[in-house]
Amino acid sequence: MHRNGWLNDRFVTGFAYLFIALFAMMCLYPLLLTVSVSFSSEQAITKNGYSIIPQEFSLDTYRYIFANSGGRILRSYGVTIFVTIAGTLGALLLTSMVAYALSIKKLRYRNIIAFICNFTIIFSAGLIPWYIVNVNYYGLKNSVLALIVPSLFNVWNMFLLRTYFAHISPSLYEAAEVDGANHFTIYWKVALPLSKTALLTVGLMYALQYWNDWWHALIFINDRDLFPLQYFLYNILSNVNAISSGRIPSGASGSITLPAETVKMAVTIITIGPILFLYPFVQKYFVQGIMTGAVKE
Amino acid sequence: MIASSEMPETKKSQGFLYEMNKHKILYLMCAPGLIVLILFCYVPFAGVWMAFTDFNVVDGIFGSKFVWFDNFKYFFSKNSMGWRVTYNTLVINFWGIILGIIVPITIAVLLNEIRGKAFKKLTQSMMFFPYFISWVVVGAIIYGIFSSDVGVANGILGWFGMEPIRWYSEPKYWKEIIILANVWKWSGYSSIIYLAAMSNFDGSLYEAAKVDGANKLQQIFRLTIPMLKPTVIVLTLLSVGRIFYGDFGMIYGIVGNNPVLGDEVTIIDTYVYQSMRTLGFSYSTAIGLLQSVMGLILITLANGVAKKVNDGEGLF
């Protein structure tokens, strides 16, 4: 009986290692595949198909991309970097100010303000009225602001930050108040420095949202000079799978040159490059931030 | 109790203007955020009027002919895609919710059983990776797996001596592909939320269970999973409340505007976007409104249920 139980536990642990290892591999495999194809020679890929080990290792694809559309890619990089930095900083400022104000219990109308925020989660006007207001009244068509302003305030992130601020000891605020500080000073000098993990987590969420956004570009941007990186990639890919569906007559697809297999994967790698680079550094804090945030809720 | 002469004073101190003045800095700090909400969430509500009109640019939103519920009627009529896209949205979301519970909980429970720190750290960061990439990149990866000539899937079929499949012209596989891609992208992230909940569990319960001779499987099924129930319920109700909303980025990022796969993967959100061009603003607004109203009803119900099962703790 006892021995049986011991065997059983060993089995559970073994299964845990196996399952987790397999799932983790499944998550990483596509990335390795993409990297490998981007470093392979085009002929080898067309002949043998994709594989996880680079075939006839070559940097030709990257050379080709930067020689032919390097200017475009760098331009898109510029747009994405600008949007990400400006958006994240702006969003953090706006979100944390509201979060701080709502964490002060003395504020009498804070429930009304919280309701105004919450209601936008549960009910929205829908895409078309939103689009018309943005284009006809705010003039956001083909404007870089269209990529930044509409996402400046995320209600979920605001409530996450408010939970953090609410856990700061009120005596710290009182001490500052006695010293004659007003609420903005307390927010800036006490609350923000004490919430670094939370700000980092929420900041990363905003940064990721801005870096990965292409939907706003799809809707608002026609001007190629304003294409963010992800939308640049989307444009390369979207025609490809329409053509590979076989419905588009061969005559028509003849006029559209299909980007080579390795080129598609190399552009993908260029798009996620900075994320790959930053990932090992930020991942730890991110997990920490989400864990504490989830526990506190 | 207080001298009568002070009464008006106290009354005044509770007035709107007094409160505004007293905490003006705090209210001013709320202003920029609220302005963004008003501009991008509340102002568009005026445009909902279009759902009941036959909008044309010349007469404008409020000048166009009022047609009552005609736009809504068309959505449910035979020659519209209405039922089809509603069905697609529900099926994709339903399986997304089911697998979105099972897979992350399995991961979290099993990760909890693993003692090797390095192994745990490494695998966790691998599983977290999909969360960081955009749907467009997921689309590129899926292309790498399913493209007919060079894709990995057909390579594997080839090993087993099977005929290659032209995936991108076979609509019937794509609901499954999208559902799995969704699980793949979110599981690592969601499992962190469950791990966080688990790290709060009382360790002495497990000690007691061990003393009573419970093995690991029994601990998992009698302790861990029952204690996870409140978290699971809240997260599930939240997604049930949003079951009529699909992920536009997911569908467009993976299949783009591929006309062949449309019947199987068009969801309400992408249908609204497509009908904007072909069927006009009024019709698309009507569908969007229908979706919002259904969402409002469902999320209110879900909130009520959450409050019942969780001792008054709702979603909001």
Side-chain angles (χ1 to χ4, degrees), chain A:
Chain A
M1 191 64 195
H2 198 76
R3 202 174 155 70
N4 199 0
W6 177 80
L7 261 178
N8 213 339
D9 283 2
R10 285 287 290 263
F11 177 75
V12 172
T13 315
F15 180 75
Y17 274 91
L18 191 72
F19 183 93
I20 296 293
L22 279 178
F23 196 87
M25 269 319 294
M26 261 173 59
C27 289
L28 203 65
Y29 172 82
L31 172 71
L32 298 179
L33 187 76
T34 314
V35 173
S36 144
V37 172
S38 75
F39 284 112
S40 299
S41 86
E42 180 67 22
Q43 293 93 324
I45 293 294
T46 0
K47 211 172 93 205
N48 308 324
Y50 285 11
S51 72
I52 197 145
I53 301 153
Q55 307 170 32
E56 300 173 15
F57 182 90
S58 95
L59 291 171
D60 288 353
T61 313
Y62 287 96
R63 265 189 225 119
Y64 170 82
I65 291 175
F66 279 100
N68 283 288
S69 51
R72 283 247 160 270
I73 289 191
L74 289 181
R75 176 98 207 163
S76 288
Y77 248 105
V79 172
T80 298
I81 289 172
F82 173 73
V83 165
T84 305
I85 292 176
T88 306
L89 292 180
L92 264 184
L93 184 70
L94 258 61
T95 316
S96 63
M97 284 199 299
V98 179
Y100 173 80
L102 293 190
S103 77
I104 306 291
K105 296 218 166 54
K106 279 183 297 188
L107 198 70
R108 200 192 308 156
Y109 298 120
R110 69 198 182 103
N111 287 332
I112 297 175
I113 295 172
F115 179 79
I116 293 173
C117 295
N118 261 327
F119 188 69
T120 62
I121 296 180
I122 57 176
F123 198 68
S124 74
L127 174 70
I128 310 300
W130 181 82
Y131 174 83
I132 290 182
V133 165
N134 279 315
V135 170
N136 291 2
Y137 297 95
Y138 306 152
L140 289 181
K141 188 94 195 169
N142 275 328
S143 152
V144 78
L145 286 178
L147 305 175
I148 298 176
V149 186
S151 346
L152 273 178
F153 187 73
N154 177 308
V155 174
W156 294 109
N157 288 348
M158 188 277 286
F159 281 116
L160 192 77
L161 275 179
R162 187 189 65 168
T163 326
Y164 278 93
F165 288 142
H167 280 77
I168 295 173
S169 160
S171 60
L172 281 173
Y173 292 169
E174 277 155 26
E177 253 174 308
V178 170
D179 288 347
N182 68 30
H183 270 296
F184 188 79
T185 321
I186 299 175
Y187 152 80
W188 195 252
K189 295 234 166 99
V190 182
L192 287 190
L194 283 173
S195 320
K196 277 194 194 118
T197 327
L199 288 173
L200 200 67
T201 310
V202 172
L204 276 168
M205 284 177 171
Y206 274 125
L208 213 56
Q209 172 202 309
Y210 278 114
W211 186 274
N212 281 340
D213 177 46
W214 54 280
W215 182 73
H216 286 99
L218 172 77
I219 287 180
F220 292 123
I221 310 286
N222 293 329
D223 180 358
R224 292 189 78 88
D225 280 347
L226 288 176
F227 279 8
L229 213 45
Q230 306 284 339
Y231 191 55
F232 182 87
L233 176 65
Y234 173 77
N235 265 294
I236 290 182
L237 294 168
S238 66
N239 293 327
V240 173
N241 65 41
I243 290 165
S244 45
S245 70
R247 274 286 178 88
I248 293 178
S250 54
S253 66
S255 60
I256 309 164
T257 35
L258 277 179
E261 301 296 336
T262 52
V263 171
K264 277 175 256 169
M265 296 304 141
V267 176
T268 307
I269 294 301
I270 292 170
T271 310
I272 51 177
I275 294 182
L276 287 181
F277 183 70
L278 281 174
Y279 186 63
F281 304 104
V282 300
Q283 194 254 130
K284 200 179 105 197
Y285 297 102
F286 207 31
V287 171
Q288 228 172 45
I290 295 169
M291 294 257 299
T292 6
V295 170
K296 275 179 180 167
E297 276 172 342

Side-chain angles (χ1 to χ4, degrees), chain B residues 14-300:
Chain B
Q14 281 161 357
F16 175 78
L17 287 177
Y18 177 84
E19 164 75 12
M20 278 297 166
N21 190 39
K22 189 172 163 212
H23 290 131
K24 61 173 176 285
I25 291 180
L26 285 175
Y27 288 112
L28 276 176
M29 284 169 74
C30 290
L34 290 181
I35 288 171
V36 169
L37 275 191
I38 289 166
L39 287 181
F40 293 98
C41 298
Y42 285 93
V43 172
F45 277 125
V48 164
W49 184 256
M50 275 192 300
F52 305 95
T53 65
D54 184 8
F55 176 79
N56 67 72
V57 188
V58 182
D59 297 322
I61 295 179
F62 297 104
S64 297
K65 195 178 158 229
F66 191 75
V67 296
W68 297 98
F69 290 96
D70 283 3
N71 293 313
F72 297 90
K73 273 187 213 143
Y74 182 73
F75 182 71
F76 293 110
S77 72
K78 255 202 202 132
N79 35 6
S80 111
M81 287 267 286
W83 292 111
R84 182 85 227 161
V85 297
T86 310
Y87 172 79
N88 288 346
T89 313
L90 290 179
V91 170
I92 291 172
N93 277 338
F94 175 79
W95 287 107
I97 293 172
I98 300 286
L99 292 173
I101 298 168
I102 297 174
V103 179
I105 289 185
T106 312
I107 292 172
V109 167
L110 293 180
L111 262 182
N112 214 30
E113 294 302 326
I114 283 171
R115 293 283 151 258
K117 275 246 169 75
F119 180 85
K120 209 168 168 172
K121 248 187 175 164
L122 180 73
T123 50
Q124 217 182 343
S125 24
M126 283 160 75
M127 290 188 287
F128 203 18
F129 171 73
Y131 172 80
F132 280 80
I133 58 179
S134 73
W135 280 118
V136 180
V137 171
V138 176
I141 287 169
I142 286 184
Y143 173 84
I145 295 174
F146 292 106
S147 93
S148 325
D149 311 319
V150 290
V152 175
N154 279 349
I156 295 172
L157 288 180
W159 289 346
F160 292 103
M162 286 189 271
E163 285 294 304
I165 296 170
R166 293 190 65 86
W167 299 93
Y168 280 87
S169 41
E170 292 278 5
K172 63 182 173 201
Y173 301 111
W174 283 86
K175 267 202 194 79
E176 286 84 346
I177 292 175
I178 281 170
I179 292 164
L180 290 178
N182 198 16
V183 174
W184 178 81
K185 194 171 189 308
W186 289 103
S187 288
Y189 175 82
S190 315
S191 68
I192 291 175
I193 293 169
Y194 291 112
L195 274 175
M198 282 158 68
S199 69
N200 260 12
F201 292 169
D202 186 356
S204 62
L205 280 174
Y206 288 88
E207 294 302 322
K210 263 184 225 160
V211 172
D212 287 346
N215 63 29
K216 278 199 171 140
L217 267 186
Q218 287 165 327
Q219 287 171 37
I220 289 171
F221 284 104
R222 301 264 164 84
L223 285 176
T224 312
I225 290 181
M227 285 197 288
L228 275 179
K229 230 164 86 187
T231 318
V232 175
I233 289 172
V234 169
L235 292 179
T236 311
L237 284 171
L238 205 60
S239 25
V240 169
R242 300 193 59 83
I243 202 160
F244 282 98
Y245 290 91
D247 190 334
F248 183 100
M250 173 174 76
I251 303 292
Y252 253 61
I254 294 177
V255 300
N257 44 13
N258 184 333
V260 180
L261 307 180
D263 272 5
E264 283 296 312
V265 300
T266 303
I267 53 170
I268 301 177
D269 301 76
T270 51
Y271 183 57
V272 168
Y273 176 70
Q274 287 156 6
S275 348
M276 173 171 82
R277 290 163 178 196
T278 51
L279 296 163
F281 284 147
S282 287
Y283 178 60
S284 303
T285 308
I287 309 167
L289 182 60
L290 210 58
Q291 193 186 23
S292 284
V293 171
M294 288 306 296
L296 180 66
I297 294 171
L298 275 179
I299 203 125
T300 314

